[in-house]
DNA sequence: CTGAAAGCGCTTACAG
DNA sequence: CTGAAAGCGCTTACAG
């Protein structure tokens, strides 16, 4: 028991008095095994605690039953939920997760990460790094070999050569802004995310569109660029109040910045929502526990995560069916908030 | 380019006019290769984009260069930081991460998870699920085969059969409580985490110890059990003020609950910190942006994550050196907050 | 410095 | 229903 190496399929076969491929049939639940043989082999497996070596299995099958997941910012709300939902769904479907976290989305070297993951023989790759700067140019140009399924998560500028699953960020901006309009707001400011982020630009677009639909102008002085943090949300309100003293509402592109805004409002003695109404995005756990509760746009991150895995699984199956890929038009799936 | 399968070591060998094991030497940076040969092989590798199949390599070497990481609650502060730090450090050291997330720490089946991870041939396992209820009894009894390195992360009740890296939770309680005492507080309440959590009990113990060191009694009416959420922090303050009207300070066992407390204090018109001082734990990003800034105990989570990986790596190396394990006494490493 | 042989632990056709 | 053979893509001794 001390130095016993893990048993192999050969050990099990010997102990059960059958060949290794019969054991293989048993562990793969194939039907063509005599009931009695099945029983005996299973008994041995139970006794020895045998578990097939996934490396060996992967080598012969040409698949690892692992999904490569590339993400940024696990400490933030969105990514942690997405990765959590992906892992859960993947586990249910028999996939393991090989996680790669990147430090800076803007300078990420997609090529080397994809190559590394493929060397690990992952069956498919879920790329959940947001588009920042031109860090997805590789996905538009198709400069990366089409070898092995890659799913892009999150919206991106232009058309991807790869299938994409994303939540409609412009709709988030529209929903939030419409809510503020419905509440009677006339001068609605916005704190955006960093403008290098496509998601941030989309939320801004939704805000602008909704304002302009009322016949008013989406003035530049109503826009402050933020960086997703509480601190900048705070500064943003001071800026907005300076440039637009009539301000009566703000759309914060995420909840963190919304909290900063509320902090600032409190500091300068403006009541929320009476003086200034605020809407955020994310529905973080704290949202409903502030003075007053924060109104926020909910992102269906869990649903999106489930969809991510189902989609990549379908891609994997498809690519295994037809070795000669039919070059199916990449589908762009968009989920509504 | 369309249907090109990935090249193998054999393809590279053929193209370079050498044997496969010469290529093997090159990709493993072994010194005994003629400069000219080295050059030629590297050239072919560059041209073909060859990357060794890690499954095959793992099969022969008996190691996958993957670490199994088991965690709970990626959406919470602590776990997301720990996992992030582990991934970063692992990547630097050449390990991939196979992530397993569990849904309920109390009912987790350690045996089946460890078995599954080992079937994937991970080189070592980092078990970062907190001790809740008796979900670590397996680690005390050693009922699990000692096969393959396992590192436990987080403090636990009693002695583990496996090495452990943890942050001193009792010290967190002591630091926080002492800070409140130093600020002049006389009646210091506590909102604990769920008492089924060992970490929560340790923070409570630190609070109790520090109170009693002053010669006062750590009365039961000063203790409210929470569940780590903002909502319960809020309720907790109401409860405490009822049972102890003299209350002038509270130690919240995490920042979320501290925020809830502050919300409640605001609601009932008590000033912080004048009327009631609050200290939390975690140092979440929002801490410093509330009215007033929250004082909090910082957990060195990133340091701990780095230490986790270095420790498991050392365990892996040791177990590979001596096949006949010397049964080294498991070390229990404790990091101070 | 380099190569022929064997083997890691499985699965995949192929026979029977 | 079951087994002998070959092979997945590497690395590890072992020769030279």
């Amino acid at each position: 028991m001390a130095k016993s190496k893990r048993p192999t399929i050969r050990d099990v076969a010997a102990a059960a008095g059958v060949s290794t491929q019969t054991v293989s049939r048993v562990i793969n639940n194939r039907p063509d095994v005599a009931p009695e043989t099945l029983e005996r082999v299973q008994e041995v497996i139970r006794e020895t605690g045998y578990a097939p070596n996934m490396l060996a299995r992967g080598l012969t099958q040409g698949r690892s039953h692992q999904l490569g997941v590339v993400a940024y910012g696990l400490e933030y709300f969105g990514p942690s939920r997405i990765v959590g939902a992906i892992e859960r769904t993947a586990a249910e479907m028999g996939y393991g997760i090989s996680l790669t976290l990147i430090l800076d989305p803007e300078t990420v070297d997609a090529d080397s990460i994809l190559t590394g993951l493929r060397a690990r023989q992952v069956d498919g790759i879920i790329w959940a790094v947001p588009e920042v700067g031109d860090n997805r140019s590789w996905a538009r140009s198709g400069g990366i070999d089409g070898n092995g399924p890659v799913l892009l998560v999150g919206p991106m500028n232009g058309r991807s050569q790869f299938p994409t699953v994303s939540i409609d960020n412009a709709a988030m901006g529209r929903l939030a802004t419409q809510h503020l309009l419905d509440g009677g707001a006339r001068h609605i400011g916005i704190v955006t995310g960093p403008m290098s982020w496509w998601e941030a630009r989309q939320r801004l677009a939704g805000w602008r569109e909704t304002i302009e639909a009322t016949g008013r102008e989406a003035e530049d002085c109503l826009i402050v660029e933020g960086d997703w943090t509480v601190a900048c949300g705070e500064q943003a309100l001071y800026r907005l109040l300076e440039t637009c003293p009539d301000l009566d509402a703000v759309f914060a592109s995420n909840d963190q910045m919304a909290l900063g805004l509320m902090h600032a409002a409190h500091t300068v003695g403006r009541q929320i929502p009476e003086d200034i109404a605020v809407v955020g995005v994310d529905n973080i756990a704290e949202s409903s526990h502030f003075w007053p509760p924060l109104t926020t746009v909910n992102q269906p991150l869990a649903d999106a995560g489930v969809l991510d895995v189902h989609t990549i699984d379908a891609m994997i199956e498809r690519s295994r069916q037809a070795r000669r890929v039919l070059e199916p038009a990449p589908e762009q799936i968009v989920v509504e908030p």
Side-chain angles (χ1 to χ4, degrees), chain A residues 287-301:
Chain A
S287 310
S288 51
H289 291 278
F290 286 97
W291 321 261
L294 173 62
T295 300
T296 187
V297 178
N298 185 51
Q299 293 197 61
L301 295 166

Side-chain angles (χ1 to χ4, degrees), chain A residues 190-197 200-201 204 220 222-228 232-233 235-236 239-240 253 257:
Chain A
I190 178 172
V191 192
T192 71
M195 292 316 291
S196 55
W197 288 53
R201 299 207 291 284
L204 172 64
D220 277 355
L222 289 169
I223 304 173
V224 174
E225 180 175 354
D227 62 4
W228 304 125
C232 82
Q235 296 309 316
R239 288 261 300 282
L240 283 171
S253 296
M257 296 193 295

